[in-house]
Amino acid sequence: MSAEIRSSDSSVRLPRIVFPLFAALILFPAVGHSQAIVKPPIIDKQDIRFNRLSVGGKPFKKWVIAIAQDNYGFIWLGTDDGLYRYDGYTLRPYRHDANNPRSLSDNTVKVVYKDRAGVLWIGTGFGGLDRLDPATDVFTHYSHDPDDNRSLSNNTVGAIYQDGAGSLWVGTNAGLDRLDSANRRFFHYALPPDDFARGSAVAALNEDSQGDFWVGSTQGVYTLQRSNGRFSYVPNGPMVSRGPGGEFINGLERDRSGILWLSSVLRPWFSAFNAKTREFTNYAFSGEESGSLRVSGVNAIHEDRNGMLWVATNHDGLLKFDRAHKTFVRYSTSPSGSLPDSVETLFEDSEGNMWLGGHAGVSRFETVPSPFVSYRHESHHPNSLRSEEVLCVHADARGFLWIGTQVGLHRLDRRTGQMVFYQHDPKNPYSLSYDEVSVIREDGSGGLWIGTHGGGLNRFDRVSERFFAYRHNPKDPQSLSSDLIQCLWVDLEGVLWVGTHGGGLNRFDPATGHFKAYNNDPRDPHSLSEDNVREIFADRTGTLWIGTNHGLNRFDRRSEQFTVYLHDSHNPATLSHNSIGSIFEDRRGTLWIGTRSGLDRFDRTRGSFQTFTTNDGIADDAIEAIRE
């Protein structure tokens, strides 16, 4: 049990008596029969962004067994190679030093627990229990001494828990201990000496809403009557067989409604115990049979601050249990590898972030799903993107999302998640003319125009789902001037303008299907400044602005002449750079130009520019997009 668990009512008090070393075994009274296993449907999702913990660009690859957070906000990671403190930027290791008696007692850290006073308790695999004061970084050791029957019962600590009365309980491989902090002595509560429980190790501790103390062990689950120190075996727990390896309760989590959740790493289900009705309900999440060599058991259960139940499994990834709809949402191995199939421990920090530890390190995520949904290429998923290199995206008037990639065009129905893929087919003249889709625009009638970087311009007919291509023909001056399309714009009059690489600006006449090209003429100062057109924009007056790699152009439709604005290093009121990345008009009618050297605000009355750079707070001087 690695995360802090809320204790029960603080009115619970321990009697001032010393209990016998071996308590008698009695049956847990008035427990209802375990109900049949419920198998909720499983929904696979990827609506959570998992971030793997990295420091200095390198992933943290230790085996993370336990996680906690102290009162200073530091995250503590218990691993198979020591204890680590994470401050959000760096990791500070704490390891055993044979020459330092105040160092960590053992490098295998199984439990990290913060008590209500803010003190950290460290349960180790072979060195016993350590108390760490975060303010001094000094470890105080509690270890087993065979000559002292009031020392820790065993040096392998599997669980730590502070009850409602403030007493600290420690589960070891030899049973259950309660610490008397005043004199650093332990009271021992050995599990009943029957054939089944002999040698049982304690792996989980908690209290239910009725004040009963629960003990999860390698041989089943028990309750402890603290008034007389007697254990009661709970026969109707989540396991159905009792014997060597038959029962192993490694997790006990009490939710806000008082339900106690019991988990086992040996079975593909977990159980909910209702303390009021004294009944169990079992929930299965895997189709693996109990005899399988790859049983997906539960390593940890946690209820977050929003009341959502999270289940960490050792083969099925992370599960979110929607108790209202009785469904599981499963998050298995993420494309980035930030979520492995095996999750060993769960912890929720003070900001509501969930931390997941395991053999592959530690990852974290926000418990509230991100508003962003990732669409990626998945080789085993035919409904995914065919390429992760997305070149353009357009949301049409009908709600479809059109995605241009290097390998073709995708149409995504966001309501259903259905993806339709279009690609060039040499045998089909009505297929997409070229697979590298660089730009997508929709005209006023709902027609879709697709520009490619090598195959010219395409008009898509939604009814027939045919593509009609417009290509450059060197023998036809009224054809498209270049097959390398970089930008498209449909103006207020419904005219389609095409910006090309090397072919200048084109105006399309839908009546004739012809194009009129506007190119640079070195002899004409009123021609287009350069034939590499990167951006086209029409302002509210209908004036057309053309961005190139050699200046900004204003186009006069009547005279069909261009006014060119260029950078002048001797004049700070000119364009900051000749390479234009974006053009935008705000709600007040101010024109903004993004260049490679900053953001320019254009004063159309004076014909001057005011430049904003990183010195004014912009993140980068190369501006590729502007939105208000």
Side-chain angles (χ1 to χ4, degrees), residues 132-152:
L132 172 63
D133 185 347
T136 62
D137 280 346
V138 171
F139 292 88
T140 301
H141 306 308
Y142 301 81
S143 58
H144 173 64
D145 182 352
D147 297 324
D148 183 358
N149 63 1
R150 286 294 176 260
S151 67
L152 189 69

Side-chain angles (χ1 to χ4, degrees), residues 60-365:
F60 183 65
K61 294 185 177 181
K62 303 293 183 182
W63 177 13
V64 177
I65 307 170
I67 308 173
Q69 184 177 29
D70 65 23
N71 287 348
Y72 301 98
F74 295 117
I75 297 294
W76 294 82
L77 307 174
T79 77
D80 63 337
D81 186 34
L83 179 68
Y84 290 81
R85 189 190 74 181
Y86 180 59
D87 61 8
Y89 302 95
T90 60
L91 284 162
R92 178 180 177 181
Y94 294 79
R95 293 191 178 90
H96 173 66
D97 182 353
N99 297 318
N100 182 4
R102 294 186 173 184
S103 67
L104 186 69
S105 62
D106 178 63
N107 285 335
T108 301
V109 177
K110 300 184 65 177
V111 188
V112 183
Y113 185 88
K114 186 189 76 171
D115 67 18
R116 288 192 287 277
V119 175
L120 287 180
W121 296 88
I122 316 300
T124 71
F126 307 97
L129 176 70
D130 282 2
R131 179 184 185 274
L132 172 63
D133 185 347
T136 62
D137 280 346
V138 171
F139 292 88
T140 301
H141 306 308
Y142 301 81
S143 58
H144 173 64
D145 182 352
D147 297 324
D148 183 358
N149 63 1
R150 286 294 176 260
S151 67
L152 189 69
S153 61
N154 189 277
N155 281 336
T156 299
V157 176
I160 304 172
Y161 181 75
Q162 187 177 32
D163 66 16
S167 295
L168 195 76
W169 298 79
V170 184
T172 75
N173 273 10
L176 178 64
D177 293 358
R178 177 174 61 85
L179 174 64
D180 182 348
S181 57
N183 55 26
R184 297 185 57 183
R185 306 295 292 275
F186 290 89
F187 295 101
H188 305 308
Y189 303 78
L191 291 178
D194 64 334
D195 290 338
F196 297 120
R198 184 177 293 117
S200 181
V202 173
L205 301 168
N206 212 318
E207 293 172 292
D208 65 24
S209 59
Q210 305 300 309
D212 290 318
F213 199 72
W214 289 67
V215 180
S217 75
T218 53
Q219 293 298 333
V221 61
Y222 298 82
T223 59
L224 173 67
Q225 291 183 348
R226 285 174 283 185
S227 60
N228 56 21
R230 290 187 175 184
F231 283 95
S232 299
Y233 169 67
V234 183
N236 289 324
M239 303 301 109
V240 294
S241 62
R242 195 166 186 226
E247 298 191 37
F248 180 10
I249 304 301
N250 59 292
L252 295 167
E253 167 82 350
R254 198 182 104 190
D255 67 22
R256 64 184 63 186
S257 66
I259 300 297
L260 192 68
W261 297 86
L262 298 83
S263 60
S264 172
V265 74
L266 298 180
R267 294 293 184 270
W269 64 78
F270 55 91
S271 298
F273 175 72
N274 189 321
K276 295 180 180 179
T277 64
R278 319 302 283 178
E279 290 186 340
F280 287 93
T281 303
N282 300 326
Y283 297 94
F285 58 88
S286 174
E288 297 285 354
E289 298 298 329
S290 59
S292 170
L293 296 177
R294 190 180 180 274
V295 175
S296 184
V298 176
N299 291 317
I301 298 178
H302 176 76
E303 183 189 39
D304 67 26
R305 62 185 61 189
N306 300 310
M308 190 63 66
L309 202 70
W310 299 89
V311 182
T313 76
N314 63 341
H315 284 306
D316 273 313
L318 178 68
L319 301 177
K320 180 171 66 175
F321 184 34
D322 187 337
R323 286 172 279 183
H325 299 92
K326 294 294 188 295
T327 59
F328 285 118
V329 176
R330 179 168 55 192
Y331 302 93
S332 55
T333 305
S334 63
S336 64
S338 56
L339 175 65
D341 280 339
S342 179
V343 181
E344 186 127 342
T345 184
L346 296 172
F347 176 75
E348 184 179 8
D349 66 22
S350 59
E351 296 180 353
N353 299 306
M354 190 73 75
W355 297 70
L356 299 82
H359 284 82
V362 61
S363 298
R364 62 181 183 268
F365 69 93

